[in-house]
Amino acid sequence: MSMTFAGHVAVVTGAGAGIGRAAALAFAAQGLKVVVADLDTAGGVGTAEQIMAAGGTAVFMQCDVTLEADVKQLMAETINLYGRLDYAFNNAGIEIEHGRLADGTQDEFDAIMGVNVKGVWLCMKYQLPLMLAQGGGAIVNTASVAGLGAAPKMSIYSASKHAVIGLTRSAAIEYARKHIRVNAVCPAVIDTDMFRRAYELDPRKADYAAAVHPVGRIGTVEEVASAVLYLCSDGAAFTTGHALAVDGGAMAI
C-alpha cells in the first residue's frame, strides 16, 4: 500500500476519544499535520498532546459539527494555519438509542440526526471547496454496519448511518472527476467508551457482542483507523463511493 502522507494535512472530527483519537494518532504517525476537532476540549487537547509527545504535529480546535458557523471556522482556521486540507475523517457521532421505533422521542431523533447526518453534511460542504481549489483530496465518513442493514431497537441510529452512506456515495459521484475521493467506514462493535457505556450494566451483553462477530471478538479502534488510512492512501486511488465494513465478518452472515 502506498502511503504518501508526509507533509499533508488531515482534519479529524470526534478526535477526542475512541476511533477518532486512534485515527488522529495514526495519521500523525505517518507524518501528517493533524487538526484534532471535538466538542470535548479535554479529550481533544489530550489527543493533540499525545501526538505532540510522540513527535508529531497537531492542534486542537473545538467544534460542534451541528453548527454551521463552527464547521466553517474549523475549515477556515485549518487553511489559515496549514495552507491546505488533504484528508478529512468525519467521525463525530453520538450513540444509539435502545428501544423500539415507536418508543423513540423527537429529541432523540433530532440529536442523533443532527450530529450523525447534519454534521457529516456540513463538514463535507466546507471541505469539498477547499479540496477543489487545491486539485484533490480524500474524505472518509464514519457510518456503521447499522447503515448496511436492519438494526432492531436502534432505528434512528440506523437511519442516520444509512444517510451517511447516501451522502458519501452521492458526493463521491459528484466529485469523482475532480480528483476527490469520498468513502465511508462501517464498523461493527468496537471497543470504545461508547461500547463500554452501553454494556457496563450487563456484562452478558458484551459477551453477546463478541459472539455475533464470526471472528469471535469485538474490534479495536486501531483496526478502524487502519481502514481509514487505507481509504485515504494512494493504495485506494481507484476506490470511491465505497462503504467499507470493518466488522469481523458480521455482514457476511
Side-chain angles (χ1 to χ4, degrees):
M1 179 171 64
S2 178
M3 305 286 278
T4 55
F5 291 137
H8 287 182
V9 177
V11 168
V12 181
T13 68
I19 292 169
R21 172 173 283 180
L25 292 169
F27 274 129
Q30 292 294 330
L32 280 94
K33 301 170 184 176
V34 182
V35 176
V36 175
D38 205 296
L39 185 60
D40 173 21
T41 298
V45 169
T47 299
E49 287 178 344
Q50 284 188 40
I51 290 171
M52 291 185 288
T57 302
V59 62
F60 168 67
M61 297 185 189
Q62 188 176 43
C63 179
D64 181 342
V65 296
T66 69
L67 300 178
E68 184 170 11
D70 273 25
V71 175
K72 184 177 181 179
Q73 182 176 359
L74 170 66
M75 302 312 161
E77 289 184 359
T78 297
I79 296 301
N80 288 339
L81 183 61
Y82 293 128
R84 59 189 297 127
L85 173 62
D86 300 286
Y87 310 105
F89 180 33
N90 299 319
N91 169 71
I94 59 174
E95 53 203 277
I96 60 177
E97 79 278 21
H98 299 278
R100 295 183 185 276
L101 188 148
D103 297 324
T105 68
Q106 184 167 299
D107 285 345
E108 284 179 323
F109 185 93
D110 290 344
I112 292 170
M113 289 294 182
V115 177
N116 294 0
V117 183
K118 182 182 177 183
V120 169
W121 173 74
L122 280 172
C123 284
M124 288 201 293
K125 173 179 172 64
Y126 285 98
Q127 291 157 358
L128 287 162
L130 301 179
M131 292 180 177
L132 279 173
Q134 68 188 27
I139 295 172
V140 179
N141 299 319
T142 296
S144 167
V145 293
L148 296 172
K153 295 189 177 180
M154 55 181 80
S155 58
I156 305 170
Y157 179 82
S158 177
S160 76
K161 295 305 185 178
H162 276 271
V164 168
I165 293 172
L167 287 169
T168 298
R169 288 174 172 164
S170 297
I173 299 306
E174 290 176 6
Y175 295 91
R177 297 202 177 192
K178 301 296 185 181
H179 308 292
I180 300 172
R181 296 183 299 103
V182 188
N183 292 289
V185 285
C186 300
V189 182
I190 306 297
D191 188 6
T192 63
D193 290 343
M194 187 183 296
F195 165 76
R196 293 174 186 179
R197 284 195 298 271
Y199 294 104
E200 65 183 357
L201 298 178
D202 188 350
R204 293 172 300 176
K205 291 183 178 180
D207 294 336
Y208 171 76
V212 298
H213 301 83
V215 298
R217 63 175 176 84
I218 64 174
T220 69
V221 293
E222 291 79 13
E223 288 167 330
V224 183
S226 292
V228 173
L229 259 67
Y230 164 69
L231 290 173
C232 288
S233 75
D234 290 345
F238 201 55
T239 302
T240 194
H242 183 60
L244 176 61
V246 185
D247 66 348
M251 296 305 296
I253 297 174

